[in-house]
Amino acid sequence: MFLLPGVFAFVALGLLIAFLPDRPADRAALGPFRPLDLLRSLWVNPFAHRDFGWAFPGRFLIFTGNAFKLTFGFYVITDRLGYSPTEAVSLVFTATLVVTCGSLVTATIGGWLSRPAAAQEDLRRWPR
């Protein structure tokens, strides 16, 4: 059962390699590679694009908090709260399940509440 996604990926990759033609790029048209140009192409001004300015720090904090919970949760439960390691594994799983369910519920409600008419208007004008 666990090998099925890997087998599917290898088959899909094999089909992609077999049927997608690879056209080499013209090096004269590309120009020289400069790391500074690469960094400039990745920069997005958070003041000009406020949605991205809030989305990146928000996601960074959420994923950092989740990483800390998963990393140190077991140690806090065993050392500070005094549970046995067997009980701590169950509690970490339960806490992860509760956080995941809470995230799904709040994402669903937040998406439902967030400017549905404005979002639909943006989609009608896409691509700009």
Side-chain angles (χ1 to χ4, degrees), residues 18-107:
F19 293 109
L20 188 66
D22 184 23
R23 287 172 264 137
D26 183 22
R27 292 206 179 262
L30 291 177
F33 173 75
R34 295 186 199 110
L36 190 59
D37 291 340
L38 176 66
L39 291 175
R40 283 186 188 141
S41 71
L42 296 174
W43 168 251
V44 176
N45 186 354
F47 296 107
H49 306 281
R50 293 201 182 265
D51 289 343
F52 180 78
W54 282 109
F56 178 75
R59 287 184 180 192
F60 177 77
L61 291 173
I62 287 171
F63 282 108
T64 303
N66 193 29
F68 275 116
K69 178 190 70 72
L70 287 174
T71 304
F72 298 111
F74 180 80
Y75 299 113
V76 169
I77 290 171
T78 54
D79 292 342
R80 297 289 180 165
L81 300 178
Y83 286 94
S84 71
T86 309
E87 294 171 322
V89 169
S90 175
L91 285 172
V92 168
F93 172 74
T94 304
T96 304
L97 193 62
V98 167
V99 168
T100 302
C101 291
S103 296
L104 290 172
V105 168
T106 55

Side-chain angles (χ1 to χ4, degrees), residues 116-128:
Q120 288 176 359
E121 184 63 31
D122 287 342
L123 286 176
R124 283 189 212 115
R125 289 184 286 164
W126 184 80
R128 295 176 189 198

